Structures are given as C-alpha cells and as structure tokens.
C-alpha cells in the first residue's frame, strides 16, 4: 500500500460526502477518483477504493442515525445530574460549557451569572469532570435567520448536541467531583495555565501567550483578530502544525541533550504529543499535526514504508473514523487543504538548492491558493497580501514570539524580577506588530471579496487552482500559471456584481430595521437603516470580551456573502438605536457613497456620532425630506415624508416611495399615526404593492385609514423574536388581515427576500413560511 494510501483517503472523503451531502461535488469527486484509480489499471486498488468508500458511507450513515436526542420538545427538567465534559468558559456574566447527562446525552449549558460573588465562586470551584445537580429549561438552538449566516443549530448538531440547557442556578454545594480522567486533568491544567497568564502577563501579551501556549484565542482583541485575518496570517494566532513541529523538535533536542536514548525519546514524544494536543485545546489542526508526528516517528522507528503523503492520508482516515462530521469543521478543512497542497507540491515547488526566501515565498503561495476555496466559502474573501505578510510575521512568531512566551511562562512561576522587565519589553514588541498588521491590513486591495460561491463557482475556482499547480509543474512563469484562476475570479465577481437579478432583503436584525435594495446590473445598492442594539451600562465583572454586534456579526458577513463592498446610498430614517445603532460599524468597513438623514436628526447624540464618523471618513451626509429623489434604469425613488425641518422623533422618519421590479414599495421607518395622517392629508392616493409596516407593527402605527388608502398586497413587519414590546400588536395584525394583506414577519420567517427582474419577482423567506396561517 505504500504510495496508495492517498486513494484510500480520497475514498473515505467521498464516502462521507455521499452520505452527508449528496449533490454534484461529491459525485464529481468520487467519479474523478475512480477514473484515476482505473487509469492505474489496478483491479485490486479499485476494489479497495470502492470498499473503503462504502465503509465510510455506512459509518457516516450510522453516525446520522445515532445523532438524535432523547428529548422531543422543550421542557423543564428537575434535578438532572450534569457532568462538565470540559472546563467551563466564563466570559463576563455568561457561563458556557458542554455538559453530559447520566444517559450520555450532551447539552450546551448556558448560564447567566446573577452576581459577582457567584462568578468568583464558580471560577474557583467549577472544573472538568465536576457533576452538579441542577434544575433548568431545555431550549431549542436557533437556526440561521439570515441567508448564509452561521447556523448555530446545525453547528451543535454536528457535535451531537441537540439542546441548550439553561439552569435556574448553579451552586458549588450541589456539585461533586468524579474520578478525573486523564483528559479532564489536562483540561483543568490548561484552564489553570490560562488563568496564570491572565494574572501575571501584561494584558496585550497575555492574549498572545494564551493563544500560542494553550490555543485559547478568546483573549485576542477584536481589532487584532480582524487585522490578522485581513493579512491572511490569523493562523499564527492558533497552534498549527508548524507550531507542534517546533515544540516536538525542542522536546527532542532537550531529551537528547539530557542523555536519554532515542528509544526513550520516542516513547516520551509518543506520550507528550497527545497530552499537548489536549492542553492546547484539542483543535483539529493540532490533532492532525500530532497524529502525523506520531506516524512519522513510528515509521522511522519500525522502518515502515510510508511516505509523507501516506502519513498525511492515514491521519485523514483516522480522523474520519473517529468522527466523520469533522469534515464540516473549518479548522479541519483548512489544515488538511493546506497540508495536502504543501505535501504534493514539495517535489517541484521546493528545490533543495533554492534560497530560503524563495522557499518561504513558495510556501506562502501554495498556502494561499490551497486555502482560497475554504476561505471564500466560509468567509467570502481572501487576503491578497498574505504572501508578503507571511514573510514578515512567520519568522517573527516562530523565532521570536513563540520561544519568548514559553520562556516567560516558565519564568513566571519563579517570582524572578526579570519576568516583569522582559514581559514589558515583549509586550511593547507585540503592540508594535499589531500596529504594523493594522496598517498593512488597511491597504487598498489587501483583501479580495469573492462573495459566497455557488457549487458551480466552487468547481471553477478549484479548477483554476489546480491549473496553476499543473502549469507550475511544467516550469511556466508563475504569473502565466495564475491567469486561469485570475480569469475565473474576475468572471465570478462580474457575474455577482452585474447580475440581471435584483433583490430586496429585509434583514433579520432582531428588534430593529435593516433593508437592502440591490438593483439589477449594479445600477444601485441602497440600505435603509442598519439595525442596532440598545446599550445599557453594566458592571465591569459583567462585561464580555466580544459582545454581539449587529453590524459586525450580522450585516457585514451578510453583505460580504452577496459580494457587496460598496453601498451607494445609506438611508438612516431617524435617530433611534434600533434603526441606526450599527451604522458606525459599517462606516470604515464598507465603502459608502453618501448617507441620507432626516432633517436635524443629528441633534440626537446617536445620529451625531454617526455623522461625525462619516465626516472623518469623508462620506457625504445629506439632510433630505419630501420632494427629494432619484431615478435610474431600474426604477424611481422618492421621499414623500417628512415635510418640514423640525425633528421630533418617530413621526419625522424618512418615508421612501419606490417603484422597481414591476411593483411599488413604501418604506415607512417608524412612522406613527400622526405622520400617517399628514401623509393622508397631502396625498389623495398612493398605489402600493408592498408596505414596510411602520414601527415594527406597533399599535401606534398602521392606522386603519392609512392601510385602506394605500391598499398594499404585501406587508413586511420587521420585529425581534419574542421581543419585550409585544411587536407586532394584535390590533395591527387584525387590520392587515381584514384587508386581505399577505403578511411576512422577520420574527417568524427570518429574513425576507424579494428577487426580481424587470419583468417581476417572487418572495421567499429564510425560515419556513406557513401559507395556511398567512394565505
């Protein structure tokens, strides 16, 4: 089997895919694999290939069958004994952990800590392996409510978790420690090490030390994380194969220098490496590197006829035997894609006599290209300057920062005064590296936006990458090798940007409004409001490191998935946080042509902040009212309200009347009955097909005379699921239903899409739409 394990790995991969994802790509991969095996004219190899593929197909089918819950519906559970499978994560006033019932069912435990004293008590007492008796509520995980958004329900299901458990309380007196497993002991040691770093290291350096020693990235600041992602070197903030290789090399060197025999060193590494995988968080890239290291050591010790590609393939097979669902893990995909490309290309990309600089450039090129499909699919962009960034940051991290944090961590236990002085110096160096990363990441064209590729798009992108490697193997100039991929990416971008289809999306931003209007052939991209959250002051102990933000976590990923990097007009209807709170997160992150606001709405602090930030970014801000509008080949857009320059709140919301996609639209912001009456008195007739219902369906809006005058066919209500205000109000729903208006609601249906051409269009919702309830 020497040299043939790669075919078995491919068979395992296709078997898993055919079980979980029966569509064009797995069928294509399995067909190409069989053709390649047949081309070798080996009947035995073909038999093994098909057998392996069927084996993993049935293993995956069994995993799917077993991946069910004992609980059928949300329920209150009394006195359940839950064992913490891992050390609980405490962030601000939230506790999060995977817990296991006596029947071996896993729950995602989420607990809102009520007081600082209890937080300190939980941090001191909770640990992996602890069993606590609790009462609580089972809650169904949330599915994605916006297109291409993170699907938390599916994410948990792939971890064999079907329920969120919300305890009424957690007290140490109701807990007892079971006999600790080796993994549990290592997890608790890891948590203790991270706490030591947080307590002793300077704040900035602590975040890097925790990431590089224990694989804990939650301490990394949002700004640093974004900068390194834009540079394409965020992998340096996680423990990778290179990282494990360096550590294994250091352990090997120290053991040999201490006089140990090679036999003893082998068994030391055999025990140490799996232990370090647990200590570093057990992420797939680390486990892959550890498995490959152990297989490599074993092949050397027992003279096994295994090539590097065989070792890679065997580690892949072992991974999928352990858990086929790991193919969905982004770290798993990136780690194996990059390692596979580097392994295959080593023979013709990395020549022995080549200079070290060119070796590093080649490694960076191969890494960027092999990770491009994964990054495009999950994050909708890739870094163009990652090649240059790797040349700068890889040596810095591997030769300077990584050894420094390990040495500092060891010295921190001695109480030596040298620790504080050295840590302060390294901290300043880290701060400088962050500034360099931020400056480089903000360079024009540092990131190429791809949007969410379709299945066919992914096939073409992968084909372009393969074409690069095939041409490079023939010693063709790298720029000529890249031409097919460049052409494919340009075509992909043009198809997205200049599509004949337009789209209106009522984005689900919770309790708020945000509407995207994308016209056909790139004739205009407009956004009406951005949603946002009301922020309330909290005590320092309650603050979370990276709290949810509508702009960062919902709007920007959604827009990037659509291939949108520019908004021509950002319309901010009025100065309420639930309508414009996320505007400042978009400014600077996306290119914005101009911002339109209601007259004098800037007198309110939240709008004033947005306007000031827009001025700093040199974005034009216009105050507009009834009479202002614009037209293009796709449609016409006119504001019909407000009429004066006085700003008083909801009843001075900008109201936009638009005609495109063969229908007429009315976007009303938070217009209430007073404003509706003014519209009624000014306009004798408004023919409307689609109404964006004012103020989230509040009782103070959508009066019966107003609805009867405009007579819409469809009503869109943007409101948060189970919101505290009771929106939409039953009285408003009754008025709409009496007029036989079809109702779409973001709280029930998630994001609402209208896809159209010049001939018309259709509505669709992200969550299932009950046509019987909403005829």
């Amino acid at each position: 089997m020497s040299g043939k394990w790669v075919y078995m790995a491919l068979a395992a991969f296709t078997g898993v895919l055919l079980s979980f994802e029966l569509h064009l790509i797995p069928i294509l991969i399995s067909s190409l694999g069989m053709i390649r095996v047949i081309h070798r004219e080996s009947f035995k190899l073909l038999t093994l290939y098909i057998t392996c593929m069927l084996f993993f197909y049935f293993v995956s089918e069994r995993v799917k069958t077993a991946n069910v819950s004992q609980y059928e519906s949300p329920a209150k559970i009394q006195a359940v004994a839950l064992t913490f499978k891992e050390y609980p994560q405490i962030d601000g006033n939230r506790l999060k952990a995977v817990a296991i019932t006596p029947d071996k069912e896993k729950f995602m435990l989420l607990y809102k800590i009520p007081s600082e004293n209890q937080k300190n008590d939980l941090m001191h007492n909770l640990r992996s392996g602890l069993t606590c008796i609790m009462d609580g509520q089972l809650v169904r995980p949330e599915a994605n409510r916006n297109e291409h958004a993170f699907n938390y329900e599916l994410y948990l299901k792939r971890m064999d978790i079907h329920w969120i458990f919300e305890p009424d309380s957690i007290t140490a007196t109701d807990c007892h420690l079971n006999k600790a497993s080796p993994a549990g002991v290592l997890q608790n040691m890891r948590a203790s090490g991270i706490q030591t770093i947080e307590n002793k290291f300077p704040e900035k350096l602590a975040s890097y030390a925790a990431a590089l020693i224990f694989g804990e990235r939650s301490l990394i600041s949002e700004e640093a994380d974004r900068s390194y992602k834009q540079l394409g070197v965020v992998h340096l903030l996680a423990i990778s194969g290179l990282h494990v290789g360096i550590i294994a090399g250091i352990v090997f060197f120290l053991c040999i220098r201490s006089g140990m025999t090679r036999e003893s060193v082998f068994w030391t590494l055999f025990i140490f490496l799996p232990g370090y995988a647990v200590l570093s968080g057990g992420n797939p890239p680390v486990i892959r590197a550890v498995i490959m290291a152990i297989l490599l050591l074993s092949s050397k010790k027992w003279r096994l006829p295994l090539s590097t590609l065989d070792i890679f393939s065997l580690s892949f097979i072992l991974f999928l035997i352990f858990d086929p669902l790991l193919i969905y893990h982004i770290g798993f995909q990136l780690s194996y894609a990059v390692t596979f490309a580097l392994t295959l290309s080593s023979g013709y990309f990395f020549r022995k006599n080549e200079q070290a600089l060119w070796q590093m450039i080649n490694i960076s090129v191969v890494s960027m290209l092999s990770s491009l499909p994964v990054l495009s699919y999950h994050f909708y962009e890739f870094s163009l300057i990652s090649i240059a960034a790797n040349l700068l940051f890889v040596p810095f991290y591997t030769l300077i920062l990584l050894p420094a944090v390990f040495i500092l961590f060891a010295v921190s236990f001695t109480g030596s005064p040298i620790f504080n002085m050295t840590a302060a110096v390294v901290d300043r160096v880290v701060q400088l590296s962050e500034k360099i990363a931020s400056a480089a990441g903000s360079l024009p064209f540092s990131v190429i936006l791809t949007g969410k590729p379709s299945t066919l798009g992914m096939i073409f992108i992968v084909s372009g990458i393969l074409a690069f490697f095939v041409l490079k193997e023939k010693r063709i100039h790298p720029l000529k090798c890249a031409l097919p991929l460049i052409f494919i990416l340009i075509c992909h971008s043009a198809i997205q940007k200049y599509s004949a289809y337009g789209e209106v999306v009522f984005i689900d931003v919770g309790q708020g409004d945000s509407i995207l209007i994308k016209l056909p052939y790139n004739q205009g991209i407009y956004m009406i409001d951005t949603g946002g959250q009301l922020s309330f002051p909290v005590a320092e102990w309650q603050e979370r490191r990276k709290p949810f933000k509508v702009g960062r976590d919902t709007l920007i990923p959604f827009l990037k998935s659509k291939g949108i990097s520019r908004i021509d007009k950002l319309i901010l209807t009025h100065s309420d946080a639930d309508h414009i709170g996320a505007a400042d997160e978009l400014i600077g992150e996306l290119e914005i042509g101009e911002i339109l606001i209601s007259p004098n709405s800037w007198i309110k602090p939240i709008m004033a902040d947005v306007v000031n930030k827009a001025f700093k970014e040199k974005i034009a801000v216009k105050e507009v009212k009834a009479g202002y509008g614009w037209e293009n080949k796709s449609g016409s857009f006119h504001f019909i309200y407000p009429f004066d320059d006085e700003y008083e709140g909801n009843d001075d919301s900008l109201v936009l009347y638009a005609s495109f996609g063969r229908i007429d639209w009315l976007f009303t912001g938070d217009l209430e009955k007073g404003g509706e009456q003014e519209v009624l008195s000014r306009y004798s007739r408004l023919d409307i097909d689609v109404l964006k219902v004012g103020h989230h369906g509040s009782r103070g809006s959508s009066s019966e005379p107003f609805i009867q005058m405009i007579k819409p066919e469809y009503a869109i209500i943007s409101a948060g699921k189970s919101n505290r205000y009771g929106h939409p109000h039953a009285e408003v729903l009754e008025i709409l239903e009496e007029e036989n208006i079809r109702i779409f609601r973001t709280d029930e249906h998630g994001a609402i899409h209208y896809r159209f051409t010049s001939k018309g269009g259709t509505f669709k919702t992200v969550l299932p739409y009950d046509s019987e309830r909403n005829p």
Side-chain angles (χ1 to χ4, degrees), residues 5 37 65 74 119 334 355 360 367 377 488 537 726:
W5 282 107
V37 171
T65 304
K119 177 180 177 178
L334 282 172
Q355 293 181 356
M360 290 182 62
S367 299
Y377 184 82
I488 288 168

Side-chain angles (χ1 to χ4, degrees), residues 229-233 235 334 337-339 341-342 345 349-350 360-376 381-390 445-448 450 461 465 468-469 478-479 482 485-486 489:
K229 281 180 179 177
Q230 289 173 333
L231 287 178
V233 294
H235 59 278
L334 282 172
V338 173
T339 307
L342 289 171
S345 60
F349 250 65
F350 313 116
M360 290 182 62
I361 291 174
N362 285 333
I363 290 173
S364 296
V365 169
V366 173
S367 299
M368 183 192 75
L369 292 176
S370 56
S371 63
L372 193 157
V374 179
L375 295 175
S376 298
E381 62 186 8
F382 68 95
S383 173
L384 191 62
I385 62 173
S386 62
I387 298 171
N390 274 296
F445 307 110
S446 62
V447 174
I448 300 299
T450 62
I461 289 172
I465 294 168
F468 175 89
F469 286 116
L479 289 179
L485 178 61
I486 293 171
L489 291 175

